[in-house]
Amino acid sequence: MTDTVTTDILLSRDEGVATLTLNRPEKMNTVTRIMGEQLYALLLELNKDRSCRAIVITGAGGNFCTGGDFSDNESKIENPVEGRVRLLQSAHLIELLVNGPKPVIAAVDGYAYGMGMSLALACDYIIATDKTVFNAAFSRLGLAAELGLTWTLPRRIGVGKTKQLLMLSKKVTGADALAMQMVDELCPSATLAAVALERAREFAAAAPLVVAYTKSALAKGHATVESAMATEHEYQAALYMTHDHVEGVKAMFKKRKPEFNGN
């Protein structure tokens, strides 16, 4: 079942999995300022929705997203202050993907350029296809990488390869992205939707609070093991008192699959 929230972003649900589809295929799913605000609002609502246990982000028409579309008058920048405001608006979206409590799967087919690459790299699990092409693209426009790419990309592929991709705007195929661990999985384009839904169901079956705490802990980017363990102790102390912990222990002793509810 698909609920058309806006014509540019489609929301569909399959039990605990919500799929957000960027729906501007005629524009290769470029994102306008207003569309970015709508995407943020939808993600915020899904993160608050207890019935939603995992989120898939994908694109319509054979492409993921080829960047931001700033051709409309409302997106034109007249001075540096306006430019900073626009960046801050987009930053909230990336922060929500990285820090939000729900696992987010990027199902990337076709082109993922500029903002599209940034959106994908901010997700928790990335699936590419035999038709996927990533390109940071910013340097070709005389711009530096933005939307968290200088943080998300090196955490996956290392600083050296990140410099090449960001400074030279090198294109990366789905197969090459898998080889350098930029993505987590590669599948045929024709099976992308099914594979993404299957992976999302796996994440949806995990203990919601554990997923949320794990995302939060990893996003902190601790510099020392002491700092990491301090965060772990804080989260673990809270998890000891949850229903899901009790359920997990019972399921282990009874040799059955646990049924977590996020309490």
Side-chain angles (χ1 to χ4, degrees), residues 178-226:
L178 180 66
M180 66 174 65
Q181 299 184 320
M182 184 192 300
V183 304
D184 300 290
E185 189 171 353
L186 188 70
C187 71
S189 177
T191 65
L192 177 61
V195 172
L197 182 58
E198 181 180 354
R199 295 296 169 268
R201 285 172 176 165
E202 292 174 4
F203 279 100
L209 292 177
V210 172
V211 171
Y213 283 149
T214 300
K215 285 190 62 171
S216 178
L218 292 174
K220 292 180 184 297
H222 297 286
T224 66
V225 67
E226 291 82 5

Side-chain angles (χ1 to χ4, degrees), residues 29-93:
N29 299 322
T30 50
V31 178
T32 64
R33 180 184 60 80
I34 293 175
M35 187 176 168
E37 293 173 354
Q38 293 169 339
L39 180 59
Y40 174 80
L42 287 169
L43 283 168
L44 189 61
E45 287 303 312
L46 291 173
N47 273 287
K48 294 177 182 178
D49 185 352
R50 289 178 62 88
S51 69
C52 173
R53 299 279 287 269
I55 302 167
V56 175
I57 297 180
T58 192
N63 289 298
F64 184 68
C65 170
T66 54
D69 181 354
F70 306 115
S71 60
D72 61 298
N73 290 331
E74 292 188 18
S75 294
K76 288 184 178 179
I77 295 175
E78 302 294 339
N79 58 62
V81 173
E82 292 179 0
R84 184 171 179 80
V85 169
R86 190 178 79 186
L87 289 172
L88 288 173
Q89 290 173 334
S90 300
H92 292 320
L93 174 59

Side-chain angles (χ1 to χ4, degrees), residues 138-215:
F138 296 103
S139 70
R140 291 189 301 161
L141 302 174
L143 296 172
E146 60 183 27
L147 300 179
L149 264 185
T150 57
W151 186 84
T152 57
L153 190 56
R155 285 166 72 90
R156 281 183 169 266
I157 69 173
V159 174
K161 290 187 176 66
T162 295
K163 288 179 180 179
Q164 295 179 45
L165 268 56
L166 298 188
M167 294 178 185
L168 306 179
S169 288
K170 283 184 172 289
K171 295 180 180 179
V172 180
T173 66
D176 288 339
L178 180 66
M180 66 174 65
Q181 299 184 320
M182 184 192 300
V183 304
D184 300 290
E185 189 171 353
L186 188 70
C187 71
S189 177
T191 65
L192 177 61
V195 172
L197 182 58
E198 181 180 354
R199 295 296 169 268
R201 285 172 176 165
E202 292 174 4
F203 279 100
L209 292 177
V210 172
V211 171
Y213 283 149
T214 300
K215 285 190 62 171

